[in-house]
Amino acid sequence: MGVVNVTPDSFSDGGRWFTPGAAVAHGLALIDDGADLLDVGGESTRPGARRVPVDEELVRVLPVIDALVARGATVSVDTTRARVAHEAVRHGAAIINDVSGGLADEAMHEVVAQTGAVYVAMHWRGHADVMDTFDDYVDVVADVRRELAERVAALRAAGVHDDQVVLDPGLGFAKPGASNWPLLARLPELVADGFPVLVGASRKRFLGHLLAHPDGEPAPPLARDGATAAISALAAAAGAWCVRVHDVKGSADAVRVAAAWRAASTDLSTEPSADPRRAQ
């Protein structure tokens, strides 16, 4: 899933793709680099970001969705608003990627049920300007799984079918630092809950801290793509359905490596046992 930020204040690209023409060109370039999906968003969710008016969000994303769908792209809309989600699907988006899992807009689940769109429900505890205050877990993996199960129950109650649902552990959201690593290390537990899993680690703060300079200064976002690709490979090997990334080419290559590795492992597990006496 390639990221198309139609925002002036993204933490990762600083508004490089803010105009519709630039956003569409960027999305098509990501497809050339190997993206299967394009995630179009008109409101930044970077730490500390303020909300934009819903009409402004619509003006930002709908022309881009129209143009990308017309070029044959499979598009996801990155929004927490039911109205934006509904309009985006009407304009051809196939997926609603809601970082709030429906908690930011009580009408969202109804839109998902009515449209039949695939819905990514992310683990979330608050909007970008306050989310870091909610980094309080007893066991982050157990807590995230429990809270995502609550989102699934709410979706079912609204008439959403299980085959529409994708889960996202919400790396970086109410998890500014070390809380992210257990979620990645124990990703198979989330996969085992039975829903496809989306992993969005791309260029996030916890990678900046991991790659910090000797003086403690975090690595800048554009210097985090190598680490992102490593997570993409590991997430794919752990059974993730998709990875959401800014630099598609590196992660596409990493996912191919993971797929080949898993395929070879499966082949080896089905081969007859080798003679232990054979010379190596």
Side-chain angles (χ1 to χ4, degrees), residues 221-234:
L222 294 178
R224 304 170 191 173
D225 286 337
T228 298
I231 288 178
S232 293
L234 292 167

Side-chain angles (χ1 to χ4, degrees), residues 24-253:
V24 171
H26 180 55
L28 296 175
L30 293 179
I31 290 175
D32 287 343
D33 285 343
D36 301 297
L37 311 169
L38 296 177
D39 194 38
V40 178
E43 181 178 55
S44 176
T45 54
R46 63 177 174 78
R50 298 289 183 177
R51 308 224 60 191
V52 301
V54 63
D55 288 339
E56 174 64 20
E57 188 178 350
L58 286 166
V59 166
R60 292 178 181 182
V61 301
L62 293 183
V64 177
I65 292 171
D66 285 336
L68 290 173
V69 170
R71 297 292 293 271
T74 302
V75 173
S76 166
V77 61
D78 179 3
T79 186
T80 62
R81 289 174 163 137
R83 181 182 165 198
V84 175
H86 184 271
E87 287 299 308
V89 173
R90 196 170 67 83
H91 283 249
I95 300 170
I96 300 166
N97 181 17
D98 178 3
V99 300
S100 80
L103 290 171
D105 188 335
E106 62 183 12
M108 180 65 86
H109 290 174
E110 182 180 352
V111 167
V112 178
Q114 288 176 349
T115 62
V118 172
Y119 181 67
V120 181
M122 196 192 79
H123 177 262
W124 185 87
R125 287 183 166 184
H127 285 290
D129 57 340
V130 297
M131 64 181 177
D132 285 355
T133 64
F134 296 106
D135 182 29
D136 182 17
Y137 303 93
V138 176
D139 176 331
V140 65
V141 178
D143 291 349
V144 166
R145 289 177 68 191
R146 183 186 67 255
E147 290 170 35
L148 284 175
E150 292 169 358
R151 297 293 83 221
V152 170
L155 285 161
R156 288 170 173 163
V160 177
H161 300 294
D162 282 6
D163 61 7
Q164 292 175 249
V165 179
V166 175
L167 300 182
D168 180 341
L171 300 176
F173 287 79
K175 309 168 196 76
S179 297
N180 296 280
W181 294 110
L183 286 167
L184 289 167
R186 294 166 59 186
L187 191 62
E189 294 179 36
L190 186 56
V191 172
D193 288 337
F195 292 92
V197 174
L198 173 68
V199 173
S202 186
R203 297 179 178 173
K204 288 192 172 172
R205 289 176 293 171
F206 73 100
L207 295 181
H209 296 310
L210 176 71
L211 305 174
H213 302 300
D215 63 1
E217 180 70 19
L222 294 178
R224 304 170 191 173
D225 286 337
T228 298
I231 288 178
S232 293
L234 292 167
W241 166 76
C242 190
V243 290
R244 180 184 184 275
V245 297
H246 299 84
D247 173 45
V248 165
K249 193 175 189 315
S251 280
D253 289 348

